[in-house]
Amino acid sequence: MASKSWLCHPAGLMLLLITWRDSMHCYGFTVDPPEDLAVSDPGHLGHLEITWGPPGSLTNMTECSTLYQLEYFNTYRDSWTAIRMNRRTFSVQFDLMKDVRVRVYTLLDGRCTNNTMIQSTSYTELIQKPPSTGPLKPTFVSLQIQNHVKPEITEKLHLQSGPDTQLELHWESPAGKVPEHCLEWEVEHSQEAPGGKLPSKRIVPTQAWSLTLPSSHNDERSCFRVRSKVNKYCADKSFWSDWSRPTCHPEKNEVTPEPEWDTLPVYICVAAAIIVILVLSLCVGTGLKVTKSRQEKKLDSLPTTSFAINSVLTAAEG
């Protein structure tokens, strides 16, 4: 009985081995691991970029979808972390004083594998030592780190309605010398209904530069404003910037006020009119005086002329 059990045990192992081999071999081919695995340092204080390329054997294959399983050793948790994705790039935080260890598998699924997901038996691995024993070189970036930093106010906000009655909000980096990757953002959302303003809501700090939110009702008006501060990786302590000017949807149709006379030009016109009236009055008064004076001179000359005429007539008669 014991001998029979001993004979059945290898047979079971062989059956499992054949089943495993059939699952890893589909239509006579195996899955190769990715190629050109690389880790680059863009200078973001240990936030490294991992990139790789597809295996050369899958270049002309179109009947299957390709996935990748990335595994990296998390030195902060002292354990491996695995992520599956269809992209060929990933960024993650590493401790630059320790080894950087990453490896990638290839996964296939679709018609070429009879709708069975197959993973490559081997993987592509990369191990990079700290900057003093390996190819990873440190990048020095001047961040002008200070103990207390307050960013400038954000000037440009853009709000528009998107598909499915959604609101799309995005903004641009404020002026100043703070790098973009050092900023985190807070968004305030307020609504105005026919009955009055509703309580405003604060959206938790985020490092994204845009938000997509559900649209308000037809009788409500949504307004947004943002502010920023430097994150903990670039400064010991930071203050929130001032709030930006709010942008709203839908926009209010502002009525252009009718033009009004400026008080200063009115005063100038009144003063000029008074001066003109005074000048005209003086001119008229002077003219009247001159006319009166001429008339008086004429009246004064009339008796003398009459006396002279009478004297001539008397002499003629004598």
Side-chain angles (χ1 to χ4, degrees), residues 99-127:
D99 291 353
V100 176
R101 301 178 60 186
V102 295
R103 56 195 183 196
V104 189
Y105 294 84
T106 304
L107 293 92
L108 286 182
D109 188 14
R111 295 178 57 186
C112 67
T113 63
N114 197 19
N115 296 322
T116 301
M117 182 170 288
I118 296 178
Q119 178 177 311
S120 59
T121 56
S122 60
Y123 52 80
T124 302
E125 186 176 25
L126 177 64
I127 300 177

PDB file of all heavy atoms in Angstrom, residues 99-127:
ATOM      1  N   ASP A  99      20.164  50.453  -2.659  1.00  0.00           N
ATOM      2  CA  ASP A  99      20.074  49.881  -4.004  1.00  0.00           C
ATOM      3  C   ASP A  99      18.684  50.088  -4.591  1.00  0.00           C
ATOM      4  O   ASP A  99      17.668  49.984  -3.895  1.00  0.00           O
ATOM      5  CB  ASP A  99      20.382  48.386  -3.965  1.00  0.00           C
ATOM      6  CG  ASP A  99      21.847  48.117  -3.641  1.00  0.00           C
ATOM      7  OD1 ASP A  99      22.617  49.093  -3.580  1.00  0.00           O
ATOM      8  OD2 ASP A  99      22.196  46.937  -3.443  1.00  0.00           O
ATOM      9  N   VAL A 100      18.648  50.366  -5.888  1.00  0.00           N
ATOM     10  CA  VAL A 100      17.397  50.451  -6.637  1.00  0.00           C
ATOM     11  C   VAL A 100      17.237  49.144  -7.396  1.00  0.00           C
ATOM     12  O   VAL A 100      18.022  48.831  -8.298  1.00  0.00           O
ATOM     13  CB  VAL A 100      17.407  51.655  -7.600  1.00  0.00           C
ATOM     14  CG1 VAL A 100      16.141  51.673  -8.442  1.00  0.00           C
ATOM     15  CG2 VAL A 100      17.555  52.956  -6.830  1.00  0.00           C
ATOM     16  N   ARG A 101      16.203  48.367  -7.054  1.00  0.00           N
ATOM     17  CA  ARG A 101      15.999  47.049  -7.651  1.00  0.00           C
ATOM     18  C   ARG A 101      14.618  47.001  -8.287  1.00  0.00           C
ATOM     19  O   ARG A 101      13.597  47.184  -7.616  1.00  0.00           O
ATOM     20  CB  ARG A 101      16.124  45.956  -6.584  1.00  0.00           C
ATOM     21  CG  ARG A 101      17.471  45.922  -5.877  1.00  0.00           C
ATOM     22  CD  ARG A 101      17.512  44.851  -4.805  1.00  0.00           C
ATOM     23  NE  ARG A 101      17.289  43.529  -5.370  1.00  0.00           N
ATOM     24  CZ  ARG A 101      17.153  42.421  -4.625  1.00  0.00           C
ATOM     25  NH1 ARG A 101      17.223  42.510  -3.299  1.00  0.00           N
ATOM     26  NH2 ARG A 101      16.951  41.261  -5.208  1.00  0.00           N
ATOM     27  N   VAL A 102      14.570  46.755  -9.589  1.00  0.00           N
ATOM     28  CA  VAL A 102      13.311  46.650 -10.330  1.00  0.00           C
ATOM     29  C   VAL A 102      13.403  45.468 -11.285  1.00  0.00           C
ATOM     30  O   VAL A 102      14.485  45.098 -11.749  1.00  0.00           O
ATOM     31  CB  VAL A 102      12.999  47.948 -11.123  1.00  0.00           C
ATOM     32  CG1 VAL A 102      12.773  49.109 -10.190  1.00  0.00           C
ATOM     33  CG2 VAL A 102      14.129  48.271 -12.100  1.00  0.00           C
ATOM     34  N   ARG A 103      12.240  44.866 -11.586  1.00  0.00           N
ATOM     35  CA  ARG A 103      12.166  43.800 -12.573  1.00  0.00           C
ATOM     36  C   ARG A 103      10.776  43.830 -13.211  1.00  0.00           C
ATOM     37  O   ARG A 103       9.796  44.225 -12.576  1.00  0.00           O
ATOM     38  CB  ARG A 103      12.457  42.440 -11.937  1.00  0.00           C
ATOM     39  CG  ARG A 103      11.566  42.069 -10.762  1.00  0.00           C
ATOM     40  CD  ARG A 103      12.158  40.919  -9.990  1.00  0.00           C
ATOM     41  NE  ARG A 103      11.309  40.481  -8.890  1.00  0.00           N
ATOM     42  CZ  ARG A 103      11.711  39.704  -7.890  1.00  0.00           C
ATOM     43  NH1 ARG A 103      12.970  39.272  -7.872  1.00  0.00           N
ATOM     44  NH2 ARG A 103      10.882  39.353  -6.932  1.00  0.00           N
ATOM     45  N   VAL A 104      10.702  43.386 -14.465  1.00  0.00           N
ATOM     46  CA  VAL A 104       9.470  43.486 -15.237  1.00  0.00           C
ATOM     47  C   VAL A 104       9.208  42.159 -15.946  1.00  0.00           C
ATOM     48  O   VAL A 104      10.124  41.548 -16.517  1.00  0.00           O
ATOM     49  CB  VAL A 104       9.563  44.624 -16.275  1.00  0.00           C
ATOM     50  CG1 VAL A 104       8.191  44.863 -16.907  1.00  0.00           C
ATOM     51  CG2 VAL A 104      10.066  45.902 -15.650  1.00  0.00           C
ATOM     52  N   TYR A 105       7.926  41.729 -15.919  1.00  0.00           N
ATOM     53  CA  TYR A 105       7.459  40.550 -16.650  1.00  0.00           C
ATOM     54  C   TYR A 105       6.568  41.010 -17.814  1.00  0.00           C
ATOM     55  O   TYR A 105       6.012  42.099 -17.801  1.00  0.00           O
ATOM     56  CB  TYR A 105       6.615  39.639 -15.752  1.00  0.00           C
ATOM     57  CG  TYR A 105       7.354  38.994 -14.605  1.00  0.00           C
ATOM     58  CD1 TYR A 105       7.539  39.678 -13.410  1.00  0.00           C
ATOM     59  CD2 TYR A 105       7.841  37.694 -14.703  1.00  0.00           C
ATOM     60  CE1 TYR A 105       8.189  39.082 -12.338  1.00  0.00           C
ATOM     61  CE2 TYR A 105       8.490  37.085 -13.623  1.00  0.00           C
ATOM     62  CZ  TYR A 105       8.665  37.789 -12.449  1.00  0.00           C
ATOM     63  OH  TYR A 105       9.302  37.192 -11.404  1.00  0.00           O
ATOM     64  N   THR A 106       6.402  40.110 -18.790  1.00  0.00           N
ATOM     65  CA  THR A 106       5.462  40.315 -19.885  1.00  0.00           C
ATOM     66  C   THR A 106       4.271  39.385 -19.704  1.00  0.00           C
ATOM     67  O   THR A 106       4.446  38.204 -19.372  1.00  0.00           O
ATOM     68  CB  THR A 106       6.117  40.039 -21.248  1.00  0.00           C
ATOM     69  OG1 THR A 106       7.279  40.850 -21.389  1.00  0.00           O
ATOM     70  CG2 THR A 106       5.148  40.363 -22.387  1.00  0.00           C
ATOM     71  N   LEU A 107       3.061  39.916 -19.920  1.00  0.00           N
ATOM     72  CA  LEU A 107       1.846  39.117 -19.834  1.00  0.00           C
ATOM     73  C   LEU A 107       1.067  39.253 -21.130  1.00  0.00           C
ATOM     74  O   LEU A 107       0.946  40.352 -21.680  1.00  0.00           O
ATOM     75  CB  LEU A 107       0.959  39.561 -18.661  1.00  0.00           C
ATOM     76  CG  LEU A 107       1.520  39.327 -17.250  1.00  0.00           C
ATOM     77  CD1 LEU A 107       2.285  40.546 -16.784  1.00  0.00           C
ATOM     78  CD2 LEU A 107       0.380  39.019 -16.280  1.00  0.00           C
ATOM     79  N   LEU A 108       0.537  38.119 -21.623  1.00  0.00           N
ATOM     80  CA  LEU A 108      -0.263  38.090 -22.844  1.00  0.00           C
ATOM     81  C   LEU A 108      -1.645  37.529 -22.543  1.00  0.00           C
ATOM     82  O   LEU A 108      -1.802  36.624 -21.718  1.00  0.00           O
ATOM     83  CB  LEU A 108       0.404  37.236 -23.926  1.00  0.00           C
ATOM     84  CG  LEU A 108       1.631  37.813 -24.634  1.00  0.00           C
ATOM     85  CD1 LEU A 108       2.115  36.846 -25.685  1.00  0.00           C
ATOM     86  CD2 LEU A 108       1.316  39.159 -25.248  1.00  0.00           C
ATOM     87  N   ASP A 109      -2.628  38.076 -23.256  1.00  0.00           N
ATOM     88  CA  ASP A 109      -3.989  37.582 -23.112  1.00  0.00           C
ATOM     89  C   ASP A 109      -4.739  37.876 -24.407  1.00  0.00           C
ATOM     90  O   ASP A 109      -4.602  38.959 -24.980  1.00  0.00           O
ATOM     91  CB  ASP A 109      -4.680  38.260 -21.929  1.00  0.00           C
ATOM     92  CG  ASP A 109      -6.018  37.625 -21.629  1.00  0.00           C
ATOM     93  OD1 ASP A 109      -6.275  36.519 -22.155  1.00  0.00           O
ATOM     94  OD2 ASP A 109      -6.812  38.223 -20.873  1.00  0.00           O
ATOM     95  N   GLY A 110      -5.529  36.914 -24.890  1.00  0.00           N
ATOM     96  CA  GLY A 110      -6.301  37.142 -26.101  1.00  0.00           C
ATOM     97  C   GLY A 110      -6.412  35.872 -26.942  1.00  0.00           C
ATOM     98  O   GLY A 110      -6.264  34.741 -26.459  1.00  0.00           O
ATOM     99  N   ARG A 111      -6.648  36.046 -28.229  1.00  0.00           N
ATOM    100  CA  ARG A 111      -6.853  34.913 -29.130  1.00  0.00           C
ATOM    101  C   ARG A 111      -5.597  34.059 -29.295  1.00  0.00           C
ATOM    102  O   ARG A 111      -5.673  32.840 -29.436  1.00  0.00           O
ATOM    103  CB  ARG A 111      -7.312  35.427 -30.489  1.00  0.00           C
ATOM    104  CG  ARG A 111      -8.674  36.098 -30.471  1.00  0.00           C
ATOM    105  CD  ARG A 111      -9.034  36.631 -31.836  1.00  0.00           C
ATOM    106  NE  ARG A 111      -9.006  35.569 -32.842  1.00  0.00           N
ATOM    107  CZ  ARG A 111      -9.172  35.772 -34.145  1.00  0.00           C
ATOM    108  NH1 ARG A 111      -9.366  37.017 -34.583  1.00  0.00           N
ATOM    109  NH2 ARG A 111      -9.147  34.763 -34.997  1.00  0.00           N
ATOM    110  N   CYS A 112      -4.444  34.737 -29.291  1.00  0.00           N
ATOM    111  CA  CYS A 112      -3.211  33.978 -29.504  1.00  0.00           C
ATOM    112  C   CYS A 112      -2.898  33.041 -28.345  1.00  0.00           C
ATOM    113  O   CYS A 112      -2.125  32.092 -28.489  1.00  0.00           O
ATOM    114  CB  CYS A 112      -2.042  34.927 -29.740  1.00  0.00           C
ATOM    115  SG  CYS A 112      -1.611  35.922 -28.288  1.00  0.00           S
ATOM    116  N   THR A 113      -3.477  33.284 -27.183  1.00  0.00           N
ATOM    117  CA  THR A 113      -3.268  32.422 -26.016  1.00  0.00           C
ATOM    118  C   THR A 113      -4.526  31.670 -25.635  1.00  0.00           C
ATOM    119  O   THR A 113      -4.625  31.175 -24.504  1.00  0.00           O
ATOM    120  CB  THR A 113      -2.804  33.276 -24.824  1.00  0.00           C
ATOM    121  OG1 THR A 113      -3.854  34.207 -24.489  1.00  0.00           O
ATOM    122  CG2 THR A 113      -1.535  34.016 -25.134  1.00  0.00           C
ATOM    123  N   ASN A 114      -5.488  31.598 -26.590  1.00  0.00           N
ATOM    124  CA  ASN A 114      -6.755  30.912 -26.326  1.00  0.00           C
ATOM    125  C   ASN A 114      -7.455  31.529 -25.114  1.00  0.00           C
ATOM    126  O   ASN A 114      -8.041  30.835 -24.276  1.00  0.00           O
ATOM    127  CB  ASN A 114      -6.517  29.415 -26.101  1.00  0.00           C
ATOM    128  CG  ASN A 114      -7.814  28.629 -26.243  1.00  0.00           C
ATOM    129  OD1 ASN A 114      -8.791  29.098 -26.837  1.00  0.00           O
ATOM    130  ND2 ASN A 114      -7.823  27.427 -25.688  1.00  0.00           N
ATOM    131  N   ASN A 115      -7.355  32.881 -25.049  1.00  0.00           N
ATOM    132  CA  ASN A 115      -8.001  33.656 -23.980  1.00  0.00           C
ATOM    133  C   ASN A 115      -7.538  33.234 -22.592  1.00  0.00           C
ATOM    134  O   ASN A 115      -8.303  33.297 -21.614  1.00  0.00           O
ATOM    135  CB  ASN A 115      -9.522  33.559 -24.076  1.00  0.00           C
ATOM    136  CG  ASN A 115     -10.050  34.172 -25.353  1.00  0.00           C
ATOM    137  OD1 ASN A 115      -9.556  35.195 -25.808  1.00  0.00           O
ATOM    138  ND2 ASN A 115     -11.052  33.549 -25.951  1.00  0.00           N
ATOM    139  N   THR A 116      -6.279  32.826 -22.504  1.00  0.00           N
ATOM    140  CA  THR A 116      -5.674  32.479 -21.224  1.00  0.00           C
ATOM    141  C   THR A 116      -4.476  33.396 -20.994  1.00  0.00           C
ATOM    142  O   THR A 116      -3.617  33.532 -21.874  1.00  0.00           O
ATOM    143  CB  THR A 116      -5.217  31.016 -21.209  1.00  0.00           C
ATOM    144  OG1 THR A 116      -6.343  30.166 -21.452  1.00  0.00           O
ATOM    145  CG2 THR A 116      -4.586  30.654 -19.875  1.00  0.00           C
ATOM    146  N   MET A 117      -4.424  34.039 -19.830  1.00  0.00           N
ATOM    147  CA  MET A 117      -3.316  34.952 -19.549  1.00  0.00           C
ATOM    148  C   MET A 117      -2.051  34.161 -19.280  1.00  0.00           C
ATOM    149  O   MET A 117      -2.034  33.241 -18.454  1.00  0.00           O
ATOM    150  CB  MET A 117      -3.642  35.852 -18.361  1.00  0.00           C
ATOM    151  CG  MET A 117      -2.536  36.859 -18.061  1.00  0.00           C
ATOM    152  SD  MET A 117      -3.028  38.111 -16.866  1.00  0.00           S
ATOM    153  CE  MET A 117      -4.158  39.068 -17.863  1.00  0.00           C
ATOM    154  N   ILE A 118      -1.004  34.508 -20.007  1.00  0.00           N
ATOM    155  CA  ILE A 118       0.289  33.843 -19.890  1.00  0.00           C
ATOM    156  C   ILE A 118       1.336  34.858 -19.471  1.00  0.00           C
ATOM    157  O   ILE A 118       1.406  35.965 -20.014  1.00  0.00           O
ATOM    158  CB  ILE A 118       0.690  33.184 -21.222  1.00  0.00           C
ATOM    159  CG1 ILE A 118      -0.303  32.072 -21.577  1.00  0.00           C
ATOM    160  CG2 ILE A 118       2.099  32.628 -21.143  1.00  0.00           C
ATOM    161  CD1 ILE A 118      -0.004  31.398 -22.894  1.00  0.00           C
ATOM    162  N   GLN A 119       2.150  34.489 -18.531  1.00  0.00           N
ATOM    163  CA  GLN A 119       3.219  35.349 -18.029  1.00  0.00           C
ATOM    164  C   GLN A 119       4.562  34.758 -18.398  1.00  0.00           C
ATOM    165  O   GLN A 119       4.741  33.534 -18.414  1.00  0.00           O
ATOM    166  CB  GLN A 119       3.106  35.498 -16.504  1.00  0.00           C
ATOM    167  CG  GLN A 119       4.217  36.353 -15.887  1.00  0.00           C
ATOM    168  CD  GLN A 119       4.026  36.529 -14.393  1.00  0.00           C
ATOM    169  OE1 GLN A 119       2.940  36.869 -13.950  1.00  0.00           O
ATOM    170  NE2 GLN A 119       5.067  36.262 -13.634  1.00  0.00           N
ATOM    171  N   SER A 120       5.491  35.643 -18.716  1.00  0.00           N
ATOM    172  CA  SER A 120       6.830  35.171 -19.078  1.00  0.00           C
ATOM    173  C   SER A 120       7.466  34.461 -17.888  1.00  0.00           C
ATOM    174  O   SER A 120       7.305  34.874 -16.736  1.00  0.00           O
ATOM    175  CB  SER A 120       7.703  36.353 -19.513  1.00  0.00           C
ATOM    176  OG  SER A 120       7.801  37.304 -18.467  1.00  0.00           O
ATOM    177  N   THR A 121       8.156  33.367 -18.186  1.00  0.00           N
ATOM    178  CA  THR A 121       8.784  32.596 -17.114  1.00  0.00           C
ATOM    179  C   THR A 121       9.970  33.339 -16.508  1.00  0.00           C
ATOM    180  O   THR A 121      10.294  33.155 -15.344  1.00  0.00           O
ATOM    181  CB  THR A 121       9.251  31.238 -17.654  1.00  0.00           C
ATOM    182  OG1 THR A 121      10.138  31.464 -18.767  1.00  0.00           O
ATOM    183  CG2 THR A 121       8.060  30.414 -18.112  1.00  0.00           C
ATOM    184  N   SER A 122      10.618  34.161 -17.281  1.00  0.00           N
ATOM    185  CA  SER A 122      11.743  34.956 -16.790  1.00  0.00           C
ATOM    186  C   SER A 122      11.364  36.422 -16.782  1.00  0.00           C
ATOM    187  O   SER A 122      10.315  36.834 -17.293  1.00  0.00           O
ATOM    188  CB  SER A 122      12.987  34.720 -17.661  1.00  0.00           C
ATOM    189  OG  SER A 122      12.716  35.099 -19.000  1.00  0.00           O
ATOM    190  N   TYR A 123      12.210  37.225 -16.226  1.00  0.00           N
ATOM    191  CA  TYR A 123      11.954  38.664 -16.123  1.00  0.00           C
ATOM    192  C   TYR A 123      13.231  39.424 -16.433  1.00  0.00           C
ATOM    193  O   TYR A 123      14.342  38.874 -16.399  1.00  0.00           O
ATOM    194  CB  TYR A 123      11.445  39.032 -14.724  1.00  0.00           C
ATOM    195  CG  TYR A 123      12.302  38.536 -13.583  1.00  0.00           C
ATOM    196  CD1 TYR A 123      13.470  39.198 -13.196  1.00  0.00           C
ATOM    197  CD2 TYR A 123      11.954  37.376 -12.890  1.00  0.00           C
ATOM    198  CE1 TYR A 123      14.235  38.741 -12.154  1.00  0.00           C
ATOM    199  CE2 TYR A 123      12.722  36.896 -11.855  1.00  0.00           C
ATOM    200  CZ  TYR A 123      13.870  37.588 -11.482  1.00  0.00           C
ATOM    201  OH  TYR A 123      14.641  37.113 -10.451  1.00  0.00           O
ATOM    202  N   THR A 124      13.062  40.686 -16.740  1.00  0.00           N
ATOM    203  CA  THR A 124      14.202  41.583 -16.939  1.00  0.00           C
ATOM    204  C   THR A 124      14.420  42.354 -15.647  1.00  0.00           C
ATOM    205  O   THR A 124      13.483  42.972 -15.122  1.00  0.00           O
ATOM    206  CB  THR A 124      13.932  42.554 -18.094  1.00  0.00           C
ATOM    207  OG1 THR A 124      13.668  41.803 -19.288  1.00  0.00           O
ATOM    208  CG2 THR A 124      15.129  43.462 -18.323  1.00  0.00           C
ATOM    209  N   GLU A 125      15.627  42.328 -15.149  1.00  0.00           N
ATOM    210  CA  GLU A 125      15.918  42.916 -13.841  1.00  0.00           C
ATOM    211  C   GLU A 125      17.027  43.958 -13.970  1.00  0.00           C
ATOM    212  O   GLU A 125      17.928  43.837 -14.803  1.00  0.00           O
ATOM    213  CB  GLU A 125      16.322  41.835 -12.839  1.00  0.00           C
ATOM    214  CG  GLU A 125      16.510  42.360 -11.424  1.00  0.00           C
ATOM    215  CD  GLU A 125      16.824  41.239 -10.427  1.00  0.00           C
ATOM    216  OE1 GLU A 125      17.350  40.198 -10.863  1.00  0.00           O
ATOM    217  OE2 GLU A 125      16.546  41.406  -9.231  1.00  0.00           O
ATOM    218  N   LEU A 126      16.931  44.969 -13.119  1.00  0.00           N
ATOM    219  CA  LEU A 126      17.959  46.010 -13.079  1.00  0.00           C
ATOM    220  C   LEU A 126      18.221  46.351 -11.626  1.00  0.00           C
ATOM    221  O   LEU A 126      17.289  46.589 -10.845  1.00  0.00           O
ATOM    222  CB  LEU A 126      17.488  47.256 -13.841  1.00  0.00           C
ATOM    223  CG  LEU A 126      18.441  48.460 -13.807  1.00  0.00           C
ATOM    224  CD1 LEU A 126      19.751  48.123 -14.515  1.00  0.00           C
ATOM    225  CD2 LEU A 126      17.788  49.675 -14.453  1.00  0.00           C
ATOM    226  N   ILE A 127      19.500  46.360 -11.265  1.00  0.00           N
ATOM    227  CA  ILE A 127      19.926  46.731  -9.915  1.00  0.00           C
ATOM    228  C   ILE A 127      20.947  47.850 -10.042  1.00  0.00           C
ATOM    229  O   ILE A 127      21.983  47.695 -10.698  1.00  0.00           O
ATOM    230  CB  ILE A 127      20.536  45.532  -9.159  1.00  0.00           C
ATOM    231  CG1 ILE A 127      19.513  44.390  -9.040  1.00  0.00           C
ATOM    232  CG2 ILE A 127      21.011  45.967  -7.781  1.00  0.00           C
ATOM    233  CD1 ILE A 127      20.071  43.148  -8.379  1.00  0.00           C
TER     234      ILE A 127
END
